[in-house]
Amino acid sequence: MLNLYTTNIETLSIHRVGNLSKGEPLFFSEKPYALNDEIIGLLKEYFFKPFREKEENYFHFVHDADVEFNTLYQLVTPIFEDESTIHEQSGKIAQHLYNQSNHPHIKSGEVYIALLHDTYLDNEKVKAVGIFKSEVKNSFLQFEEQGNQLEMIIQEGVNIHRLDKGCIIFNVNKEDGYKILSIDSNRYDTKYWLENFLNVDALVDDNFYTKKYLKFSQDFAKDVILPAEDKKEEVLFMNRAINYFAKNDDFEETSFMNEVFENPELIPEFKHYKVEKGPKYQIEDVSTFPIANKAVSDVRSDVRKKIKNVIDLDTNIQIRMDFINPESVDKFIEKGWDEEKQMYYYLVYFNKEQKGS
């Protein structure tokens, strides 16, 4: 679990990185930026808000030979060993980013390298290095009094409500390439940021497997259970799946299947779906792993938003189900077949109608 609200920006270096393929220059600032409380307040919101709003999908530095040969790993490690080197290293980081800016589509912009203190990761205080880049410039209006006339001046600047690119490198798991979060608002050049500049891969841990397996289960419910059964069973299956993860410390696939499938005939379908789709979720060979509680909470919230809990009937009637308390769906809604009318029906039990509904 990540807490950036307590994070302090200790130092900040700003450089401008042009597009190498277009011959645009690289500009180095001679010294760190002189921070004040007002600037720090604005920058903390600008830098950190996208990470607070995004799922915590972590990465780590990689290299074909060994992580120690990863360029950014080599540039960040001296900062964690001696924080006084950060401005010197920031110039090297900007140079590395400039060297990767060799495609005509890559936009020039400012790169900010920040030393971060008092960040809490999994309830432990850690230090981090933040690397952020602003690319897109927005037009805005300034006004100036000239005599008896108010003149309008059009200027361009950075929108501090939208960070274009950024990563936070936490000083943990050094031997495995650190623990890293990344965001990229401009999807047209993701390879440039994630692969060429950072050279990272997804961090495969209990958080990763918990999210991937639950996402796999959610897609199975949508692709298999919903067509084979109905909307009610899709919702109930996902509730049982999430409850399994919520109440257990470790995942074991056989016990999971025995607990979440009320119709055992669907278990072979589940196994086949895993063989077919497992590589997409990177779980094809996974049957046991520790469960990450924070990931379960994130997925539970996401499922409630994404699984449509309304049964739409072709008779212009809707039945809305409560995903938070799905046991009500199981207890008070029954589905059947009417031979005389040759139609399906839902039987709904209740004591009284809710006022105002």
Side-chain angles (χ1 to χ4, degrees), residues 4-16:
L4 289 167
Y5 288 101
T6 59
T7 302
N8 292 318
I9 302 174
E10 295 296 312
T11 66
L12 178 69
S13 299
I14 309 173
H15 311 290
R16 179 173 288 123

Side-chain angles (χ1 to χ4, degrees), residues 4 35 47 54 65 68 137 144 179 219 251 263 273 282 319:
L4 289 167
L35 294 166
F47 291 158
K54 189 176 184 291
E68 291 188 356
K137 301 298 187 291
E144 187 176 283
K179 201 168 183 177
D219 288 349
F251 176 86
N263 180 1
Y273 192 83
Q282 297 177 258
I319 300 175

Side-chain angles (χ1 to χ4, degrees), residues 259-303:
E259 187 164 325
V260 301
F261 283 101
E262 289 201 336
N263 180 1
E265 292 181 4
L266 286 173
I267 291 179
E269 291 284 344
F270 186 80
K271 292 179 178 178
H272 175 74
Y273 192 83
K274 186 182 178 187
V275 171
E276 182 182 337
K277 303 288 188 178
K280 172 185 173 182
Y281 304 90
Q282 297 177 258
I283 60 162
E284 65 270 27
D285 299 320
V286 176
S287 58
T288 60
F289 54 86
I291 292 172
N293 292 331
K294 173 63 170 59
V296 177
S297 299
D298 289 345
V299 173
R300 187 197 298 269
S301 175
D302 185 58
V303 167

Side-chain angles (χ1 to χ4, degrees), residues 303-345:
V303 167
R304 286 177 184 166
K305 293 176 184 175
K306 291 185 177 178
I307 285 190
K308 186 181 179 186
N309 63 342
V310 175
I311 302 174
D312 288 304
L313 306 179
D314 59 4
T315 50
N316 298 319
I317 294 174
Q318 287 186 337
I319 300 175
R320 184 177 297 277
M321 298 173 291
D322 185 355
F323 187 80
I324 298 175
N325 300 296
E327 62 274 6
S328 298
V329 176
D330 202 23
K331 286 171 61 178
F332 304 129
I333 298 181
E334 293 180 8
K335 185 177 180 180
W337 172 259
D338 188 301
E339 285 289 346
E340 182 179 341
K341 293 186 177 181
Q342 291 291 294
M343 297 175 71
Y344 290 103
Y345 65 82

Side-chain angles (χ1 to χ4, degrees), residues 155-173:
Q155 296 183 337
E156 284 197 339
V158 173
N159 180 0
I160 62 170
H161 299 294
R162 183 186 185 278
L163 180 66
D164 291 303
K165 289 177 171 61
C167 71
I168 301 177
I169 304 157
F170 302 96
N171 189 18
V172 295
N173 300 352

Side-chain angles (χ1 to χ4, degrees), residues 47-113:
F47 291 158
F48 303 149
K49 185 179 178 182
F51 294 94
R52 295 197 298 264
E53 295 176 343
K54 189 176 184 291
E55 274 190 52
E56 293 175 27
N57 293 324
Y58 290 94
F59 298 90
H60 64 134
F61 290 127
V62 293
H63 191 276
D64 291 340
D66 188 276
V67 68
E68 291 188 356
F69 295 100
N70 179 291
T71 302
L72 204 50
Y73 178 93
Q74 294 175 338
L75 296 175
V76 169
T77 296
I79 299 173
F80 290 132
E81 294 173 349
D82 182 359
E83 293 182 353
S84 67
T85 65
I86 186 165
H87 185 68
E88 176 187 353
Q89 293 302 109
S90 75
K92 297 176 183 178
I93 291 170
Q95 181 69 62
H96 173 52
L97 182 60
Y98 182 65
N99 293 342
Q100 311 312 313
S101 305
N102 52 11
H103 190 282
H105 288 167
I106 295 172
K107 290 181 169 61
S108 62
E110 296 73 34
V111 59
Y112 315 77
I113 295 91

